[in-house]
Amino acid sequence: MMITLEYNFREPRTRTFYGYEAGDAFYEALIEAHRDLDEEQSALVNARLVLLLANHVGDVDLLREAIRLAREDVVGG
Amino acid sequence: MLKTYQYPKFPFVRPAELDSPQTRHVPVIVVGAGPVGLSAAIDLAQRNIPVVVLDEDDTVSIGSRGVCYAKRALEILDRYGVGERVVQKGVSWNVGRTFFRDEEVFRFNLVPEPDHHRPGMVNLQQYYLEEYLIDRARELPNIDLRWKSTVIGVTPGEDAVTVRVETPAGAYALSCDWLIAADGARSPIRRMLGLDIEGKIFMDRFLIADVVMKADFPPERWFWFDPPFHPGQSVLLHRQADDVWRIDFQLGWDADPEEEKKPERVIPRIRAMLGDDREFELEWVSVYTFQCRRMKRFNHGRVLFVGDSAHQVSPFGARGANSGIQDVDNLGWKLELVMQGKAPAALLDTYSDERTYAADENIRNSTRSTDFITPKGNVSKTFRNAVLGLARHHPFARGLVNSGRLSVPSFYVDSPLNTADADAFAGRMVPGAPMDDAPVAAAGGGSPWLLPHFGQGFRLMIALDDAAALDAATAEGLAALRRGAIPVEPIVIAREGGAPGGIETLHDVKGRVRERYDLQPGTVYLVRPDQHVAARWRRFDPAAIEAALRRASGQRA
Ligand SMILES: Cc1cc2nc3c(=O)[nH]c(=O)nc-3n(C[C@H](O)[C@H](O)[C@H](O)COP(=O)(O)OP(=O)(O)OC[C@H]3O[C@@H](n4cnc5c(N)ncnc54)[C@H](O)[C@@H]3O)c2cc1C
């Protein structure tokens, strides 16, 4: 399986009419998750979130690909 | 004084009320001649309702405020008779480009679908829009526009509302059945009635500069995150009419507004942005902060709030005036039915229900944009920059880049005026949806677009292959709907032929109406006067239509 890089956000239980709504709703929830946290707590929340999503994805090859893409441009670029 | 525009000055006319001991009573008073109040006056006047408009000033909007007018607002302005002037004078655009640091990361097209009459957006200085609305209002004999007339008191009552009006020649009282408060964000009416408006203020400041220059940039919206010429902040560039360019610089909360407005500070910023030494002249500079908030309800007895008095949003998304014009579009027909005694006053509650729903959507979207554009805190900034970095390579991240979700109409899917589907339909024209436009050929002449044929009353759209094949029973049913207390005008959408009995027939020349409305021969749509779908069926059923019409006009179905 290939990693999905096309826009893939959706809210199955809400009828939306504009394409950006699901992605924006996710993004809002993500930022909201860090409200009132100090930096250490925020980093921990991010780490836990990555682990939860990684387990949900499950496919380690795919996760390796995601890790590679995540590092791209960040280090040694 | 601007270099490209001269503010008109409208004369104060001494009103007869000053010389009469009696308080005159009129059907409707609109307070505020901004874009929303003027739209309200025109909407009602076009329904033969006389309107007095009171404004404390004697000219149009000063300086640089609203720029972008969206497709749906333009369609409504078409109905008010000013859409064409706005589009002709303004700069139409559909493409927005987004830059992060020194690279372009993403571009969007507002109307990715072909075959719509109006463009995604038109840029035009707000003073032009107001000037055109005023010209139109003055053409309508039942609009009484009164300048230099400040409302200083308001007394609401069971049967009437009385206002006290101060003018250069003295003060007088005027009473009305309905008062429309279009008196802007600071709304003195709202304050005098002791009503709350709740929300939040954003801790940021923006410098807006209007610049006159000849530039061959294409008509697009350009948005920069963290550009080299203004590090750490955002910048927005829009082209307006008369070679006037509008630039918004994010400054941060700590900026000193008085300092930042000085030309010696503004000019180097613009010079750095342009990156060359082309000639330009400063037309206007101001610094603003903004807030997102709304009233709990928009109708309070006989006082109806529209536009900025009822709700305010941050400017990202251009949802201010655009949504105010949609308020008026929603209110006009409901107020007419109530004033005619054809609908209960409770229909006006649905004005509040539908438009607070829309305001929440506007506030939600503009708040999300603001949070993306001006991230507060390190985590927010890291995520924002991660999205922008990924957007260079990956489509999914482009979808998350939020430089403003530009004004689009609400789908009133939860409205009590809708009749739920009993038949199966595909697509987005659900009950509550704002109608999509499409090209048509009008057998009887008229616009080559669908929406202008819908006018300002209820319509029944019925689809056929050959309009001439409309059967006698259906034709009789349509004639009866036309004669009803709330008349419903039929429109036949067909591939060919003309409907009998002079029923308006439109030919679906490109098949777009069929496609967008999922039409089959026999499909029927009941459409509200504001061109939102009320109900739809796969076959013509007069009893179902009658029930849906009662529901859509606020009567018990
Ligand atoms: C920087 C900026 C950028 C913006 N960009 C956009 C954009 O791109 N697109 C968009 O759609 N919107 C935009 N807006 C928002 C837009 O300007 C407002 O939403 C719009 O002006 C609201 O119209 P209104 O008629 O409700 O109120 P206003 O335009 O504020 O008009 C209120 C009127 O009421 C009158 N008045 C007030 N008190 C009284 C009184 N006591 N008696 C009599 N008259 C009174 C005033 O004189 C005024 O004429 C922007 C706003 C700002 C500040």
Side-chain angles (χ1 to χ4, degrees), chain B residues 227-346:
Chain B
F229 57 84
H230 191 54
Q233 310 280 19
S234 67
V235 178
L236 175 61
L237 174 71
H238 270 293
R239 181 179 185 163
Q240 307 175 108
D242 304 333
D243 291 318
V244 176
W245 297 74
R246 158 77 168 264
I247 313 166
D248 293 37
F249 292 97
Q250 183 193 352
L251 296 176
W253 184 240
D254 296 330
D256 174 347
E258 287 316 310
E259 271 307 299
E260 294 295 344
K261 274 196 283 200
K262 293 186 175 156
E264 61 264 34
R265 294 214 29 107
V266 178
I267 288 170
R269 287 196 194 284
I270 296 171
R271 180 75 52 236
M273 180 190 134
L274 294 173
D276 53 29
D277 48 14
R278 75 178 70 219
E279 301 262 309
F280 67 84
E281 281 185 278
L282 264 189
E283 175 96 324
W284 171 267
V285 181
S286 54
V287 172
Y288 68 90
T289 56
F290 50 79
Q291 41 203 357
C292 283
R293 49 184 201 161
R294 75 157 168 93
M295 297 177 74
K296 274 209 183 66
R297 295 204 58 73
F298 294 173
N299 67 323
H300 290 266
R302 294 181 169 274
V303 183
L304 305 157
F305 290 84
V306 293
D308 274 16
S309 73
H311 47 76
Q312 292 134 43
V313 293
S314 80
F316 303 112
R319 288 168 181 258
N322 282 304
S323 67
I325 291 168
Q326 289 169 68
D327 289 346
V328 166
D329 187 41
N330 188 292
L331 179 61
W333 65 274
K334 293 177 179 174
L335 189 56
E336 180 189 24
L337 287 177
V338 171
M339 290 176 79
Q340 290 173 332
K342 293 180 180 174

Side-chain angles (χ1 to χ4, degrees), chain A residues 4-9 15 17-18 20-21 23-28 30-31 34 39 42 46 69 72-73, chain B residues 319 365 368 372 378-380 383-384 387 393-396 399-400 402 405 408-409 411 413 427-428 430:
Chain A
T4 303
L5 294 171
E6 292 304 319
Y7 186 86
N8 190 34
F9 295 101
R15 170 102 212 228
F17 296 92
Y18 300 106
Y20 49 76
E21 290 175 276
D24 286 0
F26 155 72
Y27 196 83
E28 180 182 271
L30 179 65
I31 300 304
H34 292 273
E39 250 165 69
S42 268
N46 280 339
L69 292 174
E72 210 176 55
D73 298 345
Chain B
R319 288 168 181 258
N365 280 294
R368 286 171 175 173
F372 192 89
N378 287 336
V379 190
S380 305
F383 273 117
R384 205 278 306 270
V387 168
H393 310 297
H394 308 305
F396 87 91
L400 290 174
N402 187 346
R405 302 301 188 197
V408 283
F411 286 66
V413 288
R428 10 190 279 151
V430 300

Side-chain angles (χ1 to χ4, degrees), chain B residues 367-439:
Chain B
T367 301
R368 286 171 175 173
S369 303
T370 308
D371 288 342
F372 192 89
I373 292 164
T374 65
K376 304 290 176 274
N378 287 336
V379 190
S380 305
K381 191 163 226 157
T382 304
F383 273 117
R384 205 278 306 270
N385 290 347
V387 168
L388 290 169
L390 287 167
R392 257 179 281 220
H393 310 297
H394 308 305
F396 87 91
R398 282 168 219 154
L400 290 174
V401 173
N402 187 346
S403 67
R405 302 301 188 197
L406 293 161
S407 174
V408 283
S410 279
F411 286 66
Y412 305 136
V413 288
D414 293 336
S415 172
L417 304 185
N418 297 343
T419 297
D421 282 339
D423 303 326
F425 280 89
R428 10 190 279 151
M429 290 295 102
V430 300
M435 286 182 78
D436 262 343
D437 203 2

